[in-house]
Amino acid sequence: MGEKQHCHSTAVAAEARARCIRLLSHPAKRKQTAVHCAAASAIRILRKQHRKQQAQRLLAGELWANAFDLVFTNGFGRPLNHQTVYKHLKKALQSCGMENYTFHSLRHSFATISIENGDDIKTVQTNLGHFAPAFTLKTYAHVSNQMQQSSAARMEELIASLPVAK
């Protein structure tokens, strides 16, 4: 590989790493990590949160206690209270006109929208952290109106491309 090709592939790899993040699957399973690629806007938010957390860590000094390397914590590195998280979620959803959504319904919507927009089931399964694609299909992916309409349009296109029988 020439130097120019190596530099290009190194730059591409660095760009790909910049859009991905290594996550622990669960604090109890610290040895298991996975790399998840996300939208650039989501990565920017996570990086901003990381910078904020680093400042909080400096302020807290010896009181800092983030044993699980959590991304979102209180000012001392401890896990957020679930009621606090839920309250902030509801406020954010309300501002978007989505006040009836829950964490689970957002997850379900993510899976369905991902499939509707062409993500293959294996990618969706990986993004959701499921063991098997079959579980993802069974649990989250239902046939939506948009999926049925797209299927009908593809069939119509196929029929229109066939020679007319005489």
Side-chain angles (χ1 to χ4, degrees), residues 115-150:
I115 292 167
E116 284 178 347
N117 285 287
D119 285 0
D120 62 273
I121 195 60
K122 184 67 177 164
T123 300
V124 176
Q125 171 239 324
T126 301
N127 287 341
L128 293 172
H130 291 157
F131 175 74
F135 180 80
T136 305
L137 280 170
K138 181 181 166 194
T139 307
Y140 292 103
H142 62 279
V143 176
S144 70
N145 250 355
Q146 179 181 339
M147 293 163 81
Q148 287 178 318
Q149 290 171 3
S150 294

Side-chain angles (χ1 to χ4, degrees), residues 7 58 66:
C7 289
L58 287 173
N66 189 357

Side-chain angles (χ1 to χ4, degrees), residues 10-117:
T10 302
V12 170
E15 183 181 332
R17 281 193 307 274
R19 291 187 306 247
C20 298
I21 188 166
R22 182 169 297 280
L23 299 173
L24 295 173
S25 59
H26 188 279
K29 302 174 186 176
R30 284 186 62 79
K31 293 179 185 172
Q32 294 181 349
T33 62
V35 174
H36 289 275
C37 295
S41 57
I43 296 296
R44 280 192 302 275
I45 290 167
L46 290 170
R47 287 193 174 128
K48 182 179 177 182
Q49 173 60 23
H50 180 72
R51 288 189 299 274
K52 177 183 172 185
Q53 193 178 58
Q54 293 305 311
Q56 288 175 327
R57 183 180 188 160
L58 287 173
L59 284 173
E62 291 181 16
L63 297 175
W64 185 259
N66 189 357
F68 296 117
D69 292 326
L70 299 174
V71 175
F72 298 97
T73 61
N74 68 16
F76 296 100
R78 292 180 182 82
L80 294 171
N81 178 294
H82 72 280
Q83 290 174 330
T84 302
V85 174
Y86 185 74
K87 180 181 80 173
H88 287 284
L89 171 68
K90 283 301 187 184
K91 186 177 177 181
L93 291 173
Q94 198 170 34
S95 73
C96 299
M98 301 169 59
E99 44 280 317
N100 294 326
Y101 279 74
T102 63
F103 278 112
H104 181 75
S105 62
L106 290 173
R107 183 176 171 88
H108 181 88
S109 296
F110 169 80
T112 303
I113 291 167
S114 294
I115 292 167
E116 284 178 347
N117 285 287

